[in-house]
Amino acid sequence: MASAAPVATVTQLRENRGRLLVKVEGRYIALVEHAGEFFAMDATCYHMGGPLLHADIEDLGGFGPAIVCPWHRYQISLRTGDGLYVNMARHTCSKGSRQRVHAVEARDGQIYVTVSHAESGAAEHRVESDTYAFKPPAPSGGAQQLPPGRSGDVLARAGAAGMRGLPRSAGAGCAG
């Protein structure tokens, strides 16, 4: 049985707007405080590895709070790790467990995470987020600064192949 690992203090989490990236047993975990509750889940989205640490959180009724992947808008229950979607009748439904969630406990000002494991490494106990759990997540919103200008401008200034000498109006999708 896994043991609870101290990962942060409640004060540290709150000083970081309720979001911290922690690493426990080699897994990258997003530690989140939302509406007074603490949650821990693999830090990258099960779908294609999108960064979840600074993703939006939406309340989805009976499914509770769900984090929304910034890359493809996949909704994931913070409580269960279920992948969620809205069907044609406008009802929120579950795809089943897709994102590994971990037990969180706060006591004496310290936050502890107990990593949830696939039992005995059996394939039937794996979830899709296990694919990305041991890789550092892509940069996300938080306090990071984006470079000035658009990516194409940066490439052109760097002299990237195919960018030299093209007239501004020659871009794809421009009306003639």
Side-chain angles (χ1 to χ4, degrees), residues 19 34 39 41 55-61 63-69 74-79 82 84 92:
R19 309 287 180 107
H34 176 72
F39 301 94
M41 68 171 29
D56 291 337
I57 296 175
E58 298 176 352
D59 183 21
L60 296 180
F63 289 100
I67 201 156
V68 181
C69 179
Y74 275 51
Q75 298 171 322
I76 306 163
S77 168
L78 282 169
R79 291 192 178 124
D82 283 11
L84 304 173
T92 301

PDB file of all heavy atoms in Angstrom, residues 19 34 39 41 55-61 63-69 74-79 82 84 92:
ATOM      1  N   ARG A  19      -2.690  26.407  -7.017  1.00  0.00           N
ATOM      2  CA  ARG A  19      -2.169  25.471  -8.031  1.00  0.00           C
ATOM      3  C   ARG A  19      -0.683  25.234  -7.790  1.00  0.00           C
ATOM      4  O   ARG A  19       0.092  26.182  -7.713  1.00  0.00           O
ATOM      5  CB  ARG A  19      -2.337  26.033  -9.440  1.00  0.00           C
ATOM      6  CG  ARG A  19      -3.712  26.544  -9.815  1.00  0.00           C
ATOM      7  CD  ARG A  19      -4.700  25.405 -10.029  1.00  0.00           C
ATOM      8  NE  ARG A  19      -5.996  25.901 -10.393  1.00  0.00           N
ATOM      9  CZ  ARG A  19      -6.519  25.826 -11.606  1.00  0.00           C
ATOM     10  NH1 ARG A  19      -5.845  25.298 -12.592  1.00  0.00           N
ATOM     11  NH2 ARG A  19      -7.728  26.289 -11.841  1.00  0.00           N
ATOM     12  N   HIS A  34      -9.757  24.074  -4.915  1.00  0.00           N
ATOM     13  CA  HIS A  34     -10.899  24.695  -5.578  1.00  0.00           C
ATOM     14  C   HIS A  34     -12.085  24.654  -4.619  1.00  0.00           C
ATOM     15  O   HIS A  34     -12.447  23.583  -4.123  1.00  0.00           O
ATOM     16  CB  HIS A  34     -11.244  23.958  -6.874  1.00  0.00           C
ATOM     17  CG  HIS A  34     -12.464  24.490  -7.548  1.00  0.00           C
ATOM     18  ND1 HIS A  34     -12.480  25.703  -8.190  1.00  0.00           N
ATOM     19  CD2 HIS A  34     -13.720  23.987  -7.646  1.00  0.00           C
ATOM     20  CE1 HIS A  34     -13.688  25.928  -8.675  1.00  0.00           C
ATOM     21  NE2 HIS A  34     -14.457  24.895  -8.356  1.00  0.00           N
ATOM     22  N   PHE A  39      -7.467  18.735  -4.438  1.00  0.00           N
ATOM     23  CA  PHE A  39      -7.497  17.664  -5.432  1.00  0.00           C
ATOM     24  C   PHE A  39      -6.079  17.427  -5.937  1.00  0.00           C
ATOM     25  O   PHE A  39      -5.263  18.342  -5.986  1.00  0.00           O
ATOM     26  CB  PHE A  39      -8.373  18.064  -6.631  1.00  0.00           C
ATOM     27  CG  PHE A  39      -9.793  18.388  -6.268  1.00  0.00           C
ATOM     28  CD1 PHE A  39     -10.176  19.694  -6.022  1.00  0.00           C
ATOM     29  CD2 PHE A  39     -10.745  17.382  -6.172  1.00  0.00           C
ATOM     30  CE1 PHE A  39     -11.484  20.011  -5.691  1.00  0.00           C
ATOM     31  CE2 PHE A  39     -12.063  17.689  -5.844  1.00  0.00           C
ATOM     32  CZ  PHE A  39     -12.430  18.999  -5.598  1.00  0.00           C
ATOM     33  N   MET A  41      -4.263  15.246  -9.320  1.00  0.00           N
ATOM     34  CA  MET A  41      -4.416  14.382 -10.495  1.00  0.00           C
ATOM     35  C   MET A  41      -3.157  14.481 -11.333  1.00  0.00           C
ATOM     36  O   MET A  41      -2.375  15.430 -11.178  1.00  0.00           O
ATOM     37  CB  MET A  41      -5.649  14.753 -11.311  1.00  0.00           C
ATOM     38  CG  MET A  41      -5.587  16.085 -12.003  1.00  0.00           C
ATOM     39  SD  MET A  41      -6.948  16.424 -13.178  1.00  0.00           S
ATOM     40  CE  MET A  41      -8.335  15.547 -12.596  1.00  0.00           C
ATOM     41  N   ALA A  55      -5.271  25.135 -15.927  1.00  0.00           N
ATOM     42  CA  ALA A  55      -6.483  25.042 -16.735  1.00  0.00           C
ATOM     43  C   ALA A  55      -7.695  25.561 -15.969  1.00  0.00           C
ATOM     44  O   ALA A  55      -7.714  25.577 -14.736  1.00  0.00           O
ATOM     45  CB  ALA A  55      -6.712  23.589 -17.150  1.00  0.00           C
ATOM     46  N   ASP A  56      -8.706  25.980 -16.714  1.00  0.00           N
ATOM     47  CA  ASP A  56      -9.953  26.445 -16.114  1.00  0.00           C
ATOM     48  C   ASP A  56     -10.658  25.294 -15.414  1.00  0.00           C
ATOM     49  O   ASP A  56     -10.492  24.124 -15.780  1.00  0.00           O
ATOM     50  CB  ASP A  56     -10.890  27.010 -17.188  1.00  0.00           C
ATOM     51  CG  ASP A  56     -10.395  28.311 -17.780  1.00  0.00           C
ATOM     52  OD1 ASP A  56      -9.596  29.010 -17.117  1.00  0.00           O
ATOM     53  OD2 ASP A  56     -10.802  28.631 -18.909  1.00  0.00           O
ATOM     54  N   ILE A  57     -11.485  25.649 -14.429  1.00  0.00           N
ATOM     55  CA  ILE A  57     -12.304  24.673 -13.718  1.00  0.00           C
ATOM     56  C   ILE A  57     -13.756  25.094 -13.873  1.00  0.00           C
ATOM     57  O   ILE A  57     -14.101  26.260 -13.693  1.00  0.00           O
ATOM     58  CB  ILE A  57     -11.907  24.585 -12.231  1.00  0.00           C
ATOM     59  CG1 ILE A  57     -10.472  24.076 -12.113  1.00  0.00           C
ATOM     60  CG2 ILE A  57     -12.879  23.685 -11.469  1.00  0.00           C
ATOM     61  CD1 ILE A  57      -9.923  24.067 -10.705  1.00  0.00           C
ATOM     62  N   GLU A  58     -14.609  24.142 -14.241  1.00  0.00           N
ATOM     63  CA  GLU A  58     -16.035  24.386 -14.405  1.00  0.00           C
ATOM     64  C   GLU A  58     -16.803  23.455 -13.478  1.00  0.00           C
ATOM     65  O   GLU A  58     -16.381  22.321 -13.255  1.00  0.00           O
ATOM     66  CB  GLU A  58     -16.468  24.117 -15.847  1.00  0.00           C
ATOM     67  CG  GLU A  58     -15.812  25.004 -16.874  1.00  0.00           C
ATOM     68  CD  GLU A  58     -16.184  24.650 -18.308  1.00  0.00           C
ATOM     69  OE1 GLU A  58     -16.850  23.616 -18.536  1.00  0.00           O
ATOM     70  OE2 GLU A  58     -15.783  25.411 -19.203  1.00  0.00           O
ATOM     71  N   ASP A  59     -17.952  23.911 -12.975  1.00  0.00           N
ATOM     72  CA  ASP A  59     -18.804  23.059 -12.159  1.00  0.00           C
ATOM     73  C   ASP A  59     -19.774  22.334 -13.089  1.00  0.00           C
ATOM     74  O   ASP A  59     -20.511  22.974 -13.843  1.00  0.00           O
ATOM     75  CB  ASP A  59     -19.573  23.884 -11.135  1.00  0.00           C
ATOM     76  CG  ASP A  59     -20.423  23.014 -10.222  1.00  0.00           C
ATOM     77  OD1 ASP A  59     -20.123  21.803 -10.099  1.00  0.00           O
ATOM     78  OD2 ASP A  59     -21.384  23.531  -9.641  1.00  0.00           O
ATOM     79  N   LEU A  60     -19.748  21.018 -13.048  1.00  0.00           N
ATOM     80  CA  LEU A  60     -20.595  20.229 -13.945  1.00  0.00           C
ATOM     81  C   LEU A  60     -21.658  19.456 -13.177  1.00  0.00           C
ATOM     82  O   LEU A  60     -21.859  18.258 -13.371  1.00  0.00           O
ATOM     83  CB  LEU A  60     -19.738  19.288 -14.793  1.00  0.00           C
ATOM     84  CG  LEU A  60     -18.788  19.990 -15.750  1.00  0.00           C
ATOM     85  CD1 LEU A  60     -17.978  18.993 -16.545  1.00  0.00           C
ATOM     86  CD2 LEU A  60     -19.530  20.925 -16.690  1.00  0.00           C
ATOM     87  N   GLY A  61     -22.335  20.146 -12.288  1.00  0.00           N
ATOM     88  CA  GLY A  61     -23.457  19.565 -11.560  1.00  0.00           C
ATOM     89  C   GLY A  61     -23.082  18.316 -10.789  1.00  0.00           C
ATOM     90  O   GLY A  61     -22.194  18.344  -9.949  1.00  0.00           O
ATOM     91  N   PHE A  63     -21.361  15.854 -11.471  1.00  0.00           N
ATOM     92  CA  PHE A  63     -19.984  15.400 -11.607  1.00  0.00           C
ATOM     93  C   PHE A  63     -19.027  16.283 -10.815  1.00  0.00           C
ATOM     94  O   PHE A  63     -17.843  16.002 -10.728  1.00  0.00           O
ATOM     95  CB  PHE A  63     -19.558  15.360 -13.079  1.00  0.00           C
ATOM     96  CG  PHE A  63     -20.221  14.251 -13.842  1.00  0.00           C
ATOM     97  CD1 PHE A  63     -21.316  14.511 -14.644  1.00  0.00           C
ATOM     98  CD2 PHE A  63     -19.767  12.946 -13.739  1.00  0.00           C
ATOM     99  CE1 PHE A  63     -21.942  13.498 -15.342  1.00  0.00           C
ATOM    100  CE2 PHE A  63     -20.382  11.924 -14.435  1.00  0.00           C
ATOM    101  CZ  PHE A  63     -21.484  12.199 -15.238  1.00  0.00           C
ATOM    102  N   GLY A  64     -19.562  17.390 -10.272  1.00  0.00           N
ATOM    103  CA  GLY A  64     -18.726  18.291  -9.476  1.00  0.00           C
ATOM    104  C   GLY A  64     -17.792  19.111 -10.345  1.00  0.00           C
ATOM    105  O   GLY A  64     -18.028  19.295 -11.539  1.00  0.00           O
ATOM    106  N   PRO A  65     -16.707  19.580  -9.734  1.00  0.00           N
ATOM    107  CA  PRO A  65     -15.773  20.412 -10.500  1.00  0.00           C
ATOM    108  C   PRO A  65     -15.002  19.581 -11.522  1.00  0.00           C
ATOM    109  O   PRO A  65     -14.608  18.447 -11.254  1.00  0.00           O
ATOM    110  CB  PRO A  65     -14.853  20.988  -9.432  1.00  0.00           C
ATOM    111  CG  PRO A  65     -14.925  20.028  -8.291  1.00  0.00           C
ATOM    112  CD  PRO A  65     -16.292  19.416  -8.344  1.00  0.00           C
ATOM    113  N   ALA A  66     -14.794  20.187 -12.688  1.00  0.00           N
ATOM    114  CA  ALA A  66     -14.039  19.523 -13.759  1.00  0.00           C
ATOM    115  C   ALA A  66     -12.992  20.490 -14.288  1.00  0.00           C
ATOM    116  O   ALA A  66     -13.263  21.674 -14.489  1.00  0.00           O
ATOM    117  CB  ALA A  66     -14.967  19.088 -14.881  1.00  0.00           C
ATOM    118  N   ILE A  67     -11.797  19.983 -14.492  1.00  0.00           N
ATOM    119  CA  ILE A  67     -10.733  20.783 -15.090  1.00  0.00           C
ATOM    120  C   ILE A  67     -10.880  20.658 -16.607  1.00  0.00           C
ATOM    121  O   ILE A  67     -11.282  19.605 -17.105  1.00  0.00           O
ATOM    122  CB  ILE A  67      -9.353  20.330 -14.562  1.00  0.00           C
ATOM    123  CG1 ILE A  67      -8.320  21.424 -14.747  1.00  0.00           C
ATOM    124  CG2 ILE A  67      -8.928  19.002 -15.142  1.00  0.00           C
ATOM    125  CD1 ILE A  67      -7.150  21.343 -13.790  1.00  0.00           C
ATOM    126  N   VAL A  68     -10.603  21.742 -17.331  1.00  0.00           N
ATOM    127  CA  VAL A  68     -10.802  21.763 -18.779  1.00  0.00           C
ATOM    128  C   VAL A  68      -9.445  21.927 -19.453  1.00  0.00           C
ATOM    129  O   VAL A  68      -8.780  22.946 -19.295  1.00  0.00           O
ATOM    130  CB  VAL A  68     -11.741  22.916 -19.190  1.00  0.00           C
ATOM    131  CG1 VAL A  68     -11.957  22.911 -20.699  1.00  0.00           C
ATOM    132  CG2 VAL A  68     -13.066  22.812 -18.444  1.00  0.00           C
ATOM    133  N   CYS A  69      -9.031  20.915 -20.193  1.00  0.00           N
ATOM    134  CA  CYS A  69      -7.729  20.964 -20.847  1.00  0.00           C
ATOM    135  C   CYS A  69      -7.682  22.154 -21.810  1.00  0.00           C
ATOM    136  O   CYS A  69      -8.573  22.317 -22.641  1.00  0.00           O
ATOM    137  CB  CYS A  69      -7.465  19.664 -21.603  1.00  0.00           C
ATOM    138  SG  CYS A  69      -5.873  19.679 -22.470  1.00  0.00           S
ATOM    139  N   TYR A  74     -11.025  19.188 -23.378  1.00  0.00           N
ATOM    140  CA  TYR A  74     -11.519  17.977 -22.734  1.00  0.00           C
ATOM    141  C   TYR A  74     -11.816  18.306 -21.270  1.00  0.00           C
ATOM    142  O   TYR A  74     -11.016  18.949 -20.601  1.00  0.00           O
ATOM    143  CB  TYR A  74     -10.480  16.853 -22.810  1.00  0.00           C
ATOM    144  CG  TYR A  74     -10.542  16.069 -24.099  1.00  0.00           C
ATOM    145  CD1 TYR A  74     -10.528  16.702 -25.331  1.00  0.00           C
ATOM    146  CD2 TYR A  74     -10.600  14.694 -24.070  1.00  0.00           C
ATOM    147  CE1 TYR A  74     -10.590  15.982 -26.507  1.00  0.00           C
ATOM    148  CE2 TYR A  74     -10.649  13.959 -25.249  1.00  0.00           C
ATOM    149  CZ  TYR A  74     -10.656  14.614 -26.456  1.00  0.00           C
ATOM    150  OH  TYR A  74     -10.707  13.896 -27.620  1.00  0.00           O
ATOM    151  N   GLN A  75     -12.968  17.851 -20.780  1.00  0.00           N
ATOM    152  CA  GLN A  75     -13.369  18.076 -19.396  1.00  0.00           C
ATOM    153  C   GLN A  75     -13.080  16.815 -18.597  1.00  0.00           C
ATOM    154  O   GLN A  75     -13.430  15.715 -19.018  1.00  0.00           O
ATOM    155  CB  GLN A  75     -14.859  18.407 -19.324  1.00  0.00           C
ATOM    156  CG  GLN A  75     -15.222  19.676 -20.069  1.00  0.00           C
ATOM    157  CD  GLN A  75     -16.719  19.876 -20.176  1.00  0.00           C
ATOM    158  OE1 GLN A  75     -17.463  18.922 -20.369  1.00  0.00           O
ATOM    159  NE2 GLN A  75     -17.158  21.116 -20.059  1.00  0.00           N
ATOM    160  N   ILE A  76     -12.469  17.016 -17.412  1.00  0.00           N
ATOM    161  CA  ILE A  76     -12.068  15.887 -16.577  1.00  0.00           C
ATOM    162  C   ILE A  76     -12.513  16.155 -15.153  1.00  0.00           C
ATOM    163  O   ILE A  76     -12.178  17.192 -14.568  1.00  0.00           O
ATOM    164  CB  ILE A  76     -10.540  15.696 -16.615  1.00  0.00           C
ATOM    165  CG1 ILE A  76     -10.044  15.566 -18.054  1.00  0.00           C
ATOM    166  CG2 ILE A  76     -10.131  14.494 -15.775  1.00  0.00           C
ATOM    167  CD1 ILE A  76      -8.551  15.793 -18.219  1.00  0.00           C
ATOM    168  N   SER A  77     -13.242  15.222 -14.569  1.00  0.00           N
ATOM    169  CA  SER A  77     -13.704  15.366 -13.195  1.00  0.00           C
ATOM    170  C   SER A  77     -12.509  15.403 -12.239  1.00  0.00           C
ATOM    171  O   SER A  77     -11.656  14.508 -12.267  1.00  0.00           O
ATOM    172  CB  SER A  77     -14.618  14.202 -12.808  1.00  0.00           C
ATOM    173  OG  SER A  77     -14.852  14.194 -11.409  1.00  0.00           O
ATOM    174  N   LEU A  78     -12.461  16.438 -11.399  1.00  0.00           N
ATOM    175  CA  LEU A  78     -11.380  16.514 -10.411  1.00  0.00           C
ATOM    176  C   LEU A  78     -11.531  15.432  -9.348  1.00  0.00           C
ATOM    177  O   LEU A  78     -10.543  15.017  -8.747  1.00  0.00           O
ATOM    178  CB  LEU A  78     -11.376  17.892  -9.735  1.00  0.00           C
ATOM    179  CG  LEU A  78     -10.767  19.027 -10.539  1.00  0.00           C
ATOM    180  CD1 LEU A  78     -11.065  20.376  -9.889  1.00  0.00           C
ATOM    181  CD2 LEU A  78      -9.260  18.839 -10.678  1.00  0.00           C
ATOM    182  N   ARG A  79     -12.741  14.977  -9.112  1.00  0.00           N
ATOM    183  CA  ARG A  79     -12.976  13.970  -8.058  1.00  0.00           C
ATOM    184  C   ARG A  79     -12.678  12.550  -8.515  1.00  0.00           C
ATOM    185  O   ARG A  79     -12.124  11.756  -7.765  1.00  0.00           O
ATOM    186  CB  ARG A  79     -14.418  14.050  -7.576  1.00  0.00           C
ATOM    187  CG  ARG A  79     -14.706  15.317  -6.819  1.00  0.00           C
ATOM    188  CD  ARG A  79     -16.045  15.254  -6.096  1.00  0.00           C
ATOM    189  NE  ARG A  79     -16.215  16.488  -5.363  1.00  0.00           N
ATOM    190  CZ  ARG A  79     -17.243  17.306  -5.500  1.00  0.00           C
ATOM    191  NH1 ARG A  79     -18.224  16.995  -6.327  1.00  0.00           N
ATOM    192  NH2 ARG A  79     -17.305  18.421  -4.813  1.00  0.00           N
ATOM    193  N   ASP A  82     -12.872  10.980 -14.376  1.00  0.00           N
ATOM    194  CA  ASP A  82     -13.678  10.603 -15.532  1.00  0.00           C
ATOM    195  C   ASP A  82     -13.558  11.651 -16.632  1.00  0.00           C
ATOM    196  O   ASP A  82     -13.575  12.855 -16.353  1.00  0.00           O
ATOM    197  CB  ASP A  82     -15.157  10.481 -15.157  1.00  0.00           C
ATOM    198  CG  ASP A  82     -15.477   9.204 -14.404  1.00  0.00           C
ATOM    199  OD1 ASP A  82     -14.537   8.500 -13.985  1.00  0.00           O
ATOM    200  OD2 ASP A  82     -16.680   8.915 -14.223  1.00  0.00           O
ATOM    201  N   LEU A  84     -15.352  13.661 -19.375  1.00  0.00           N
ATOM    202  CA  LEU A  84     -16.752  14.068 -19.458  1.00  0.00           C
ATOM    203  C   LEU A  84     -17.048  14.701 -20.813  1.00  0.00           C
ATOM    204  O   LEU A  84     -16.156  15.265 -21.446  1.00  0.00           O
ATOM    205  CB  LEU A  84     -17.062  15.071 -18.340  1.00  0.00           C
ATOM    206  CG  LEU A  84     -16.746  14.586 -16.921  1.00  0.00           C
ATOM    207  CD1 LEU A  84     -16.919  15.714 -15.922  1.00  0.00           C
ATOM    208  CD2 LEU A  84     -17.611  13.392 -16.546  1.00  0.00           C
ATOM    209  N   THR A  92     -24.573  16.073 -19.420  1.00  0.00           N
ATOM    210  CA  THR A  92     -23.169  15.740 -19.204  1.00  0.00           C
ATOM    211  C   THR A  92     -23.071  14.255 -18.898  1.00  0.00           C
ATOM    212  O   THR A  92     -23.790  13.739 -18.041  1.00  0.00           O
ATOM    213  CB  THR A  92     -22.578  16.568 -18.045  1.00  0.00           C
ATOM    214  OG1 THR A  92     -22.711  17.958 -18.367  1.00  0.00           O
ATOM    215  CG2 THR A  92     -21.109  16.245 -17.832  1.00  0.00           C
TER     216      THR A  92
END
